[in-house]
Amino acid sequence: MLAASLLSRLIGRALPRAQVAHERLPNLQALPILSSDALSSVAYATEASLGVLILAGSSALKQSLPITLAIIALIVIVVLSYRQAISAYPNGGGSYVVARENLGRNVSLVAAAALLIDYTLTAAVSLMAGTQALSSLLPSLLPHELALSLLLLALVGWANLRGLREAGRVFAIPTYVFVVMILLLTLVGVSNLNLHHGWTPEPPPLEAALQPLGLFLILRAFSSGCSAMTGIEAISTGVQVFREPAARNARVTLLVMGGLLASMLLAVTGLGFMYGVAPDPQVTVLAQIGVRVFGSGSLLFWLLQLSTLLILVLAANTAFAGFPLLAAMLAEDRCLPPQMRWLGDRLVYQNGIGVLLAVSALIIWICQGDTTVAVNLYALGVFTAFTLSQLGLVLHWWRLRGSGWQGRMALNALGAFSTFVVLLVIIVSKFTEGAWTVVIALPLVVWGLALIRKRSREVQALLAPDQGMEPLYLEPNASPCHQAIVWLGGLNQPSFEAVRYACSIADQVTAVMVVVDQDEAGQLSQEWDRLAGSQTGALELKLLESPFSSLLQPFCDFVVDQEQLHPEQCTTVVMPFVIPRDHLDQTLLNQRAFNLFRALSDGKSRVFSMVRYYIPTAGTPGDFVRAAWADVVVEPDHA
């Protein structure tokens, strides 16, 4: 109880499910939550491109402008494509959904794996980059970069566990401050060019050429600059975050985000070209531009640097918004354990947030807070997802053939071809710089998702109700003295075995299931009548609604109410408990028996029966191996 109280204080009070609509965000708050990753890339995308071009000498830096224009054209194509994805899939039009509906479930796992990897790298790299920005201002923090990265990760995770509205408030101000500072940088810079500097570009510092300026080097610079496009998909994946009309608001916000990203990227690259800025390992390109425009040590320069620091840290929030939603979709399709789709007390997918925290912390620890290796992997996953999404939309419009389908299909075909070419360029140009790890990790994640899906289907089939079983029946007793309350996690064979056992020991049996909505309650009642037989009296099904995310508390409250209502009767709480056959089954089976036991054991003597059910061996349908015995545990009174 003490741990639960501390957790409640840490992440806030529980919110009723009815309030989920109120937890959705207006566009002004959703924009920073879902766009901080994409907008923050302005701080390093130009520098990444210049860092490759400088290998061909100072004269090659002028290629940054055409490369940036090509990246902006690609941004336009991708943004327009995902606007169409939102229209086609208003409940969430991310790459996984589009690929699943149009390219098949197996191909969709590739898109899902690519996005899971990209979200994880986004969180880790953004936080490490933010820490490095901080240590650049305060060199005394250099030995503590790893600890600072992990601390920032914990703070971002805590803000998201607090819920959507709190996260929107936390992340809105720094994101908008960064956008305003880039706008001021552009306006003051253009004014300076017009009034003082003139429109003749300064020559950059002389650097000797280490490589010839060929097509391959230009493509490498282009692929490095494409890191500006990470995070674009987050809005189409997180449509559920927006207030109604969610799809329309998401489309508008995506267009605004695309416009801001393209404008800011062009402004930074253009100012860097005009002022002859070259990459410097000690000072970032954006900082060099800020010194030239605002002056070293000026208030505006410090605001620019601090806002850059904050948005690099907050860019990780895009991953915390997208990863849990994608994981919940995969869990719904049985490709991940069902726990990933549980809503927490704050109406967020807290298990997904927890997994992302753990994996991101592992990456940060392996990299020791240094982005050198991880940043080379940034765009590989997202361009894989881009390509599959747009290819799926091509097939979608071809099958639909509604109004204007030719133009829509042509746009998505162009996007699929463009992003596929960029994907090949990234793989080839970055392979020896660390991209090989993602090339290996991607099929491994796909294999893992497919394995979970296969085993989950097998387990569900093995736990399905035996169609040949006799209907459950309990002879009514005029003066019942023993009641049994059975927890039902679902209408499956373990649950029916628990009910059958309860009927053998009690005069009155109530099977209780906690449901989320009324539609589910109606379907469950019909299925119960079909499988168990419709009867009234001593055996009944009780469906309880849960106003909060917890499915345990309504059951506990029901048990207490029944004990108070019938104090003269002995009450036994019966719980089915599935015995897994391997470690994977332990993650797939939704076992709440132990949690219920702990919740109902606190402060009162009760009788518990756990009916154990062993998963049958695959390949022998109908030959169920059951343990129809129960462990009866009597707890002493704690009072």
Side-chain angles (χ1 to χ4, degrees):
M1 295 298 290
L2 178 60
S5 177
L6 291 175
L7 182 64
S8 177
R9 289 179 179 274
L10 182 64
I11 66 173
R13 63 179 179 83
L15 298 174
R17 288 179 180 267
Q19 196 171 328
V20 67
H22 301 290
E23 284 296 295
R24 295 192 175 195
L25 303 176
N27 294 3
L28 287 176
Q29 287 189 10
L31 176 65
I33 282 185
L34 297 175
S35 302
S36 54
D37 178 26
L39 297 179
S40 69
S41 64
V42 173
Y44 54 78
T46 298
E47 185 166 12
S49 183
L50 293 177
V52 176
L53 289 175
I54 197 65
L55 296 175
S58 303
S59 60
L61 295 180
K62 61 185 179 182
Q63 301 297 327
S64 62
L65 275 179
I67 288 175
T68 298
L69 291 175
I71 294 173
I72 289 174
L74 194 58
I75 290 173
V76 172
I77 293 173
V78 172
V79 166
L80 293 178
S81 173
Y82 275 112
R83 276 174 54 86
Q84 295 186 166
I86 294 172
S87 298
Y89 300 94
N91 292 325
S95 297
Y96 172 67
V97 174
V98 176
R100 182 189 62 191
E101 300 298 326
N102 299 282
L103 302 177
R105 294 187 177 272
N106 291 329
V107 177
S108 71
L109 294 184
V110 179
L115 284 174
L116 290 175
I117 292 173
D118 183 70
Y119 282 137
T120 305
L121 287 171
T122 294
V125 171
S126 298
L127 292 169
M128 288 188 291
T131 302
Q132 289 177 344
L134 180 60
S135 62
S136 297
L137 291 175
L138 301 172
S140 60
L141 297 178
L142 279 170
H144 310 291
E145 284 186 339
L146 175 60
L148 287 173
S149 297
L150 294 175
L151 176 61
L152 292 174
L153 175 66
L155 290 176
V156 174
W158 168 75
N160 280 271
L161 287 172
R162 293 283 303 182
L164 291 176
R165 183 173 296 176
E166 281 77 1
R169 294 192 183 107
V170 170
F171 299 125
I173 295 177
T175 303
Y176 285 126
V177 169
F178 178 74
V179 172
V180 170
M181 291 310 302
I182 296 296
L183 175 61
L184 284 176
L185 182 73
T186 305
L187 293 177
V188 177
V190 170
S191 175
N192 180 58
L193 290 172
N194 189 50
L195 298 177
H196 305 289
H197 182 279
W199 291 95
T200 302
E202 289 184 25
L206 290 177
E207 290 285 345
L210 301 177
Q211 298 181 19
L213 181 63
L215 178 61
F216 183 74
L217 190 67
I218 292 176
L219 290 177
R220 281 184 60 192
F222 173 76
S223 65
S224 296
C226 283
S227 58
M229 299 181 63
T230 58
I232 287 180
E233 189 194 60
I235 290 178
S236 64
T237 303
V239 175
Q240 305 94 322
V241 169
F242 290 85
R243 287 181 180 173
E244 296 295 342
R248 178 181 177 277
N249 289 332
R251 281 167 52 87
V252 171
T253 304
L254 179 60
L255 192 62
V256 172
M257 186 270 288
L260 286 173
L261 175 59
S263 302
M264 294 162 66
L265 184 63
L266 180 60
V268 171
T269 303
L271 290 173
F273 172 72
M274 293 302 298
Y275 286 113
V277 172
D280 186 331
Q282 302 298 323
V283 185
T284 65
V285 166
L286 188 59
Q288 292 181 61
I289 297 173
V291 169
R292 294 297 303 273
V293 173
F294 295 138
S296 177
S298 67
L299 177 61
L300 289 178
F301 173 71
W302 280 97
L303 284 176
L304 174 67
Q305 289 300 98
L306 290 175
S307 64
T308 303
L309 163 66
L310 288 176
I311 198 169
L312 279 170
V313 175
L314 300 183
N317 188 67
T318 298
F320 280 91
F323 184 97
L325 288 173
L326 177 59
M329 294 180 191
L330 288 168
E332 194 70 32
D333 293 339
R334 302 190 186 281
C335 299
L336 284 178
Q339 294 89 336
M340 301 301 290
R341 70 171 184 264
W342 293 351
L343 276 175
D345 288 339
R346 298 293 297 174
L347 303 181
V348 293
Y349 297 107
Q350 62 183 24
N351 289 333
I353 294 174
V355 170
L356 181 58
L357 278 169
V359 179
S360 299
L362 178 62
I363 293 175
I364 291 173
W365 180 77
I366 292 174
C367 296
Q368 291 294 297
D370 185 4
T371 62
T372 304
V373 176
V375 76
N376 289 322
L377 319 178
Y378 220 172
L380 188 58
V382 75
F383 272 92
T384 301
F386 283 168
T387 302
L388 293 176
S389 172
Q390 294 180 77
L391 182 59
L393 286 171
V394 169
L395 297 179
H396 173 80
W397 302 126
W398 172 259
R399 283 198 293 261
L400 190 62
R401 300 194 187 186
S403 176
W405 69 274
Q406 296 96 334
R408 294 173 182 266
M409 189 177 72
L411 176 60
N412 289 128
L414 175 62
F417 175 77
S418 303
T419 53
F420 180 68
V421 170
V422 175
L423 175 63
L424 293 179
V425 170
I426 293 173
I427 293 175
V428 173
S429 63
K430 300 291 185 181
F431 189 82
T432 59
E433 300 177 32
W436 62 269
T437 57
V438 177
V439 174
I440 294 175
L442 188 61
L444 289 178
V445 176
V446 172
W447 173 79
L449 294 174
L451 177 65
I452 293 174
R453 182 179 62 184
K454 179 177 181 293
R455 183 55 185 168
S456 180
R457 290 173 177 174
E458 290 176 353
V459 169
Q460 292 300 318
L462 293 171
L463 297 183
D466 188 352
Q467 299 298 325
M469 72 176 186
E470 297 181 1
L472 302 173
Y473 185 73
L474 179 62
E475 188 69 33
N477 191 327
S479 301
C481 60
H482 186 188
Q483 65 171 336
I485 302 174
V486 185
W487 160 266
L488 296 185
L491 297 185
N492 49 37
Q493 197 62 33
S495 296
F496 285 118
E497 291 297 326
V499 174
R500 196 182 303 278
Y501 170 77
C503 291
S504 69
I505 64 169
D507 307 307
Q508 183 173 354
V509 176
T510 305
V512 180
M513 181 180 288
V514 182
V515 297
V516 176
D517 54 54
Q518 287 293 335
D519 293 338
E520 182 185 8
Q523 296 174 1
L524 289 172
S525 295
Q526 295 177 6
E527 189 71 5
W528 169 271
D529 292 341
R530 184 180 70 84
L531 294 172
S534 179
Q535 60 175 299
T536 59
L539 172 61
E540 66 171 325
L541 173 67
K542 185 72 173 180
L543 299 177
L544 304 177
E545 288 190 37
S546 176
F548 297 95
S549 64
S550 172
L551 300 182
L552 303 183
Q553 193 58 46
F555 179 80
C556 296
D557 294 340
F558 179 81
V559 171
V560 173
D561 291 342
Q562 290 300 304
E563 289 174 337
Q564 294 177 350
L565 187 62
H566 303 287
E568 75 285 355
Q569 296 185 14
C570 175
T571 301
T572 298
V573 180
V574 181
M575 293 168 284
F577 186 80
V578 181
I579 307 300
R581 289 192 173 273
D582 54 45
H583 295 295
L584 180 58
D585 290 350
Q586 293 178 0
T587 65
L588 299 178
L589 295 170
N590 181 9
Q591 299 172 355
R592 288 191 169 98
F594 285 136
N595 292 332
L596 280 171
F597 176 78
R598 284 193 294 265
L600 289 170
S601 296
D602 189 25
K604 184 174 177 59
S605 297
R606 285 193 175 91
V607 180
F608 298 89
S609 290
M610 290 186 181
V611 180
R612 302 189 180 190
Y613 182 92
Y614 287 85
I615 297 179
T617 317
T620 57
D623 186 19
F624 294 100
V625 181
R626 302 187 182 97
W629 56 276
D631 291 335
V632 180
V633 183
V634 182
E635 284 288 294
D637 196 340
H638 298 284

